[in-house]
Amino acid sequence: GAGVSQSPRYKVAKRGQDVALRCDPISGHVSLFWYQQALGQGPEFLTYFQNEAQLDKSGLPSDRFFAERPEGSVSTLKIQRTQQEDSAVYLCASSLNRGADTQYFGPGTRLTVL
Amino acid sequence: GESVGLHLPTLSVQEGDNSIINCAYSNSASDYFIWYKQESGKGPQFIIDIRSNMDKRQGQRVTVLLNKTVKHLSLQIAATQPGDSAVYFCAVLNQAGTALIFGKGTTLSVSS
């Protein structure tokens, strides 16, 4: 498909476990973003990559959250020692050019921490 | 900090009516605005965007209006259809140009 894909679509973790969420952006898109969406809320920004460079990580809620995009395409969001408050949908988006304008979103990964 | 707010959390319309969803933003220097539609279990889907050098932009059955004087944005959907039922988000580009700031969303329900 030509859109943004994310895996897994659903993830259940026990409190304290580490999780890794994958994002495959649209081919050729320079910019990649991660957002967190709590139930009934709008997406909240976590971090932004331009190619392989992480230019903004101001939205990451704690040092348990880590994101990478080593080759400027696929990205992974890792959450260490998960807590119940980490339960949310994690959305990935990509845009063609530098900057954050027209972003195309993936379906999200729903993380549930028990 | 920058924020985005919506006037109504829910909107119910009849099929065929026109729908208007409103949004307010806080930063008068904002220069890029975008509307997304999100259906249950899916990611946000791009609808239409507008830059601050415009006050109106039209797409297929949708129009976005921007009033910079009062920092207000609206999305108009013509001849609303049941398939338009979803949550609609407005978003504003942050000052750094690195992220979109989203409002809480308006749930549009269309009855036939």
Side-chain angles (χ1 to χ4, degrees):
Chain A
V4 177
S5 60
Q6 293 184 245
S7 61
R9 291 294 317 278
Y10 304 91
K11 178 68 179 178
V12 179
K14 292 183 179 178
R15 190 162 58 92
Q17 284 185 331
D18 297 349
V19 298
L21 312 180
R22 177 187 169 107
C23 173
D24 286 78
I26 294 171
S27 178
H29 276 201
V30 168
S31 298
L32 184 145
F33 310 83
W34 284 98
Y35 291 82
Q36 181 190 61
Q37 186 174 26
L39 191 63
Q41 303 295 313
E44 291 193 358
F45 171 74
L46 294 176
T47 188
Y48 160 57
F49 289 87
Q50 184 182 113
N51 295 308
E52 69 279 4
Q54 189 175 21
L55 298 186
D56 188 344
K57 54 181 182 179
S58 62
L60 295 176
S62 76
D63 58 7
R64 295 186 297 103
F65 287 71
F66 172 76
E68 60 183 4
R69 194 186 185 200
E71 297 178 359
S73 55
V74 171
S75 176
T76 303
L77 176 67
K78 298 179 180 177
I79 309 173
Q80 297 176 324
R81 304 181 303 282
T82 52
Q83 304 294 315
Q84 284 190 321
E85 61 263 28
D86 299 336
S87 296
V89 174
Y90 291 86
L91 294 163
C92 176
S94 68
S95 66
L96 179 61
N97 299 311
R98 294 175 294 178
D101 49 15
T102 310
Q103 296 179 31
Y104 298 94
F105 282 82
T109 295
R110 179 176 296 279
L111 173 65
T112 302
V113 182
L114 303 177
Chain B
E2 299 167 75
S3 66
V4 176
L6 280 163
H7 294 204
L8 284 176
T10 61
L11 177 64
S12 297
V13 301
Q14 291 285 323
E15 181 179 2
D17 287 351
N18 295 333
S19 303
I20 300 175
I21 302 172
N22 296 302
C23 183
Y25 59 96
S26 64
N27 189 346
S28 57
S30 297
D31 65 3
Y32 179 74
F33 309 85
I34 189 167
W35 283 96
Y36 284 95
K37 171 186 179 183
Q38 188 173 30
E39 297 173 287
S40 182
K42 297 184 178 180
Q45 176 189 354
F46 170 81
I47 302 173
I48 192 167
D49 58 2
I50 189 168
R51 295 201 178 270
S52 59
N53 60 351
M54 303 174 69
D55 53 20
K56 179 179 180 178
R57 192 168 186 214
Q58 290 184 292
Q60 189 174 18
R61 281 201 305 120
V62 294
T63 300
V64 55
L65 297 177
L66 176 63
N67 185 330
K68 294 179 287 294
T69 302
V70 294
K71 294 183 284 186
H72 182 270
L73 186 70
S74 68
L75 176 70
Q76 300 179 0
I77 305 173
T80 315
Q81 303 168 359
D84 295 327
S85 295
V87 181
Y88 289 80
F89 292 99
C90 66
V92 173
L93 186 65
N94 70 351
Q95 278 288 85
T98 58
L100 292 175
I101 302 170
F102 284 78
K104 289 188 176 182
T106 291
T107 300
L108 175 65
S109 299
V110 183
S111 52
S112 52

